[in-house]
């Protein structure tokens, strides 16, 4: 299997680069941070990068949970440039990118 790397920009109201509908009174802020996910054959999750500390690598991780929901087990490397736990949507965007990589389409 050839490794595939996806870099997904994120924003306060976006997951995997796909904006949500928001009301005119909502604040929509786009920032230039992006985690990088690399997928390959295997069954492991490793995390590196500036904000890797504190990111779970067990089955509780959102990327692992998303892939498990569609019955995929693959090796994933997450390069964390979005701080975890800050409410910036990095984990959710990473999970959405994993689902996109797995071939899940949200019409």
């Amino acid at each position: 299997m050839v490794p595939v790397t996806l870099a997904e920009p994120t924003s306060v109201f976006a997951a995997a680069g796909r904006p949500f509908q928001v009301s005119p009174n909502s604040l929509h802020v786009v920032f230039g941070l992006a985690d990088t996910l690399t997928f390959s054959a295997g069954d492991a999750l490793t995390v590196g990068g500036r904000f890797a500390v504190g990111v779970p690598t067990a089955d509780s991780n959102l990327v692992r949970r998303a892939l498990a929901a569609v019955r995929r087990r693959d090796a994933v490397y997450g390069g964390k440039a979005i701080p975890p736990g800050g409410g910036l949507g990095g984990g959710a965007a990473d999970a959405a990118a994993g689902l996109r990589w797995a071939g899940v389409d949200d019409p």
Side-chain angles (χ1 to χ4, degrees), residues 1 7 22 27 30 32-33 35 47 56 59 66 69-71 73 76-77 80 82 84 101 103:
M1 179 179 276
V22 295
L27 176 64
V30 177
L33 301 176
D35 290 345
V47 181
D59 288 340
V70 293
R71 294 178 168 68
R73 302 294 285 190
V76 180
Y77 171 79
K80 290 298 293 175
I82 300 173
W101 174 84

Side-chain angles (χ1 to χ4, degrees), residues 10-101:
T10 189
S11 68
V12 173
F13 293 108
R18 187 174 293 175
F20 289 92
Q21 294 287 332
V22 295
S23 74
N25 298 326
S26 295
L27 176 64
H28 185 190
V29 179
V30 177
F31 51 91
L33 301 176
D35 290 345
T36 302
L37 301 178
T38 302
F39 298 87
S40 59
D43 184 16
L45 174 66
T46 55
V47 181
R50 181 175 177 194
F51 295 106
V53 174
V55 175
T57 57
D59 288 340
S60 64
N61 180 280
L62 290 178
V63 174
R64 298 277 294 183
R65 289 172 55 189
L67 292 176
V70 293
R71 294 178 168 68
R72 294 291 300 259
R73 302 294 285 190
D74 299 286
V76 180
Y77 171 79
K80 290 298 293 175
I82 300 173
L88 300 176
D94 292 348
L99 291 173
R100 181 184 292 172
W101 174 84

